[in-house]
Amino acid sequence: MSFSNFSPILANEQLTTDVFRLTVHAPEIAAAAAPGQFVMVRAADSLDPLLRRPFSIHSRGADGSLSLLFKVVGRGTALLAKAKPGDVLDLLGPFGKGFDLSASEKKPICLIGGGMGIAPLLFLAQELPGRKYALLGARCRDELTPLAKKIAELGCAVQLATDDGSLGHHGFIPDLLDEILPQISRVCTCGPSPMMRSVAGKCRAAGVLCQVSLETHMACGIGACLGCVLPGADGRQAHVCTDGPVFNAEELSWQL
Ligand SMILES: Cc1cc2nc3c(=O)[nH]c(=O)nc-3n(C[C@H](O)[C@H](O)[C@H](O)COP(=O)(O)OP(=O)(O)OC[C@H]3O[C@@H](n4cnc5c(N)ncnc54)[C@H](O)[C@@H]3O)c2cc1C
Ligand code: FES
């Protein structure tokens, strides 16, 4: 079930020059949400920008709050960056299919996030029982530090990679996966397409289940506009907003 909610903003913290964590009081959406689902946010009171913007649910608080982690990339996110505590955010959600939490695996699960793809992984780490690894990658140290600590506190064995070598492995996240693959039963990943393609390929070769969360452009978020469709492995079109955003990697054609 989805809800329309005018949610008071509790905090809007600037974590780096262009990354913000926005926390709102949205008890109905928070109660209904599952890791990997997203909300559609109206970025301004006016009709510009006209379309709502999709954001993964970053975390949920016991007090009915939920947080979004976003990077300023354009007009909508620039407006959101200016939002202040006490302002009201117009939210719809939760939407889409999230990560599979039902599987009862004996081996650990590995969460893999690249860039802003790390956003949904905190909520997943909060809700996923059992032992977990987390491989987190970003351009530089500043983009990783705030989240890596929080995910480690949730019981994940965390390894980091940065493009510039300022923290952890100097290189790409999939480089770190080979060593972990024999120890895990499943990967849950979100991030840039080349990273997820590489992760999905390594998982396929090792016989490890891989769930990927896609962040395509979206206009409506509810299956009405065809703005988000991608080719599925069976030749049919997949709606990222309603069939996903989380898919089993084998469901996709990987021309992403
Ligand atoms: C299911 C889902 C979950 C998402 N979760 C998050 C999240 O947790 N944190 C976060 O920071 N972002 C997330 N995004 C991406 C986010 O929706 C866009 O960054 C946002 O809509 C940009 O709005 P804007 O008005 O600032 O940029 P616009 O002015 O619309 O665009 C600015 C630039 O960003 C590019 N852009 C816009 N949307 C996307 C996109 N989806 N993928 C790649 N490039 C894009 C445009 O092509 C353009 O070059 C998610 C997207 C989806 C579909
Ligand atoms: S965003 Fe409109 S159909 Fe998916």
Side-chain angles (χ1 to χ4, degrees):
M1 187 180 287
S2 301
F3 299 91
S4 170
N5 212 310
F6 290 95
S7 306
I9 293 173
L10 303 175
N12 195 8
E13 303 153 85
Q14 182 167 10
L15 304 182
T16 72
T17 49
D18 54 4
V19 176
F20 290 76
R21 181 169 52 217
L22 183 67
T23 304
V24 296
H25 184 63
E28 289 168 321
I29 296 177
Q37 288 191 300
F38 64 96
V39 289
M40 296 295 284
V41 177
R42 188 172 289 293
D45 286 341
S46 66
L47 292 179
D48 176 27
L50 181 63
L51 299 174
R52 289 173 183 272
R53 301 303 198 240
F55 294 96
S56 301
I57 295 166
H58 176 51
S59 67
R60 154 168 78 185
D63 55 355
S65 65
L66 63 81
S67 297
L68 311 177
L69 184 76
F70 68 92
K71 178 179 269 196
V72 176
V73 295
R75 178 150 168 74
T77 45
L79 286 166
L80 286 178
K82 291 184 187 147
K84 300 265 180 309
D87 292 350
V88 169
L89 197 65
D90 179 354
L91 286 182
L92 292 179
F95 291 124
K97 293 190 180 135
F99 292 100
D100 181 8
L101 301 178
S102 64
S104 57
E105 286 126 310
K106 294 214 167 65
K107 286 178 161 184
I109 289 172
C110 184
L111 318 186
I112 301 181
M116 289 316 294
I118 58 182
L121 299 187
L122 182 65
F123 189 16
L124 182 59
Q126 283 176 330
E127 300 290 315
L128 205 55
R131 287 184 300 143
K132 298 175 278 279
Y133 291 96
L135 306 180
L136 308 175
R139 285 179 310 184
C140 61
R141 162 192 291 267
D142 285 355
E143 293 190 359
L144 279 182
T145 314
L147 191 60
K149 191 163 171 281
K150 278 181 173 275
I151 288 197
E153 283 166 4
L154 291 167
C156 293
V158 177
Q159 288 187 58
L160 306 173
T162 45
D163 296 354
D164 67 359
S166 54
L167 187 65
H169 171 65
H170 187 178
F172 299 114
I173 274 294
D175 304 342
L176 301 173
L177 182 57
D178 295 328
E179 208 175 300
I180 288 177
L181 271 173
Q183 305 166 50
I184 59 174
S185 59
R186 180 159 53 117
V187 162
C188 297
T189 183
C190 185
S193 295
M195 183 203 85
M196 291 201 290
R197 194 182 298 117
S198 170
V199 167
K202 284 174 184 277
C203 288
R204 194 183 319 114
V208 168
L209 184 65
C210 180
Q211 291 189 298
V212 298
S213 182
L214 304 184
E215 296 192 344
T216 52
H217 288 83
M218 281 186 187
C220 72
I222 53 168
C225 73
L226 302 181
C228 66
V229 292
L230 286 174
D234 59 3
R236 280 186 293 185
Q237 301 286 339
H239 285 79
V240 174
C241 64
T242 49
D243 299 324
V246 178
F247 294 86
N248 286 331
E250 305 80 61
E251 293 177 82
L252 301 168
S253 78
W254 288 104
Q255 296 155 12
L256 305 177

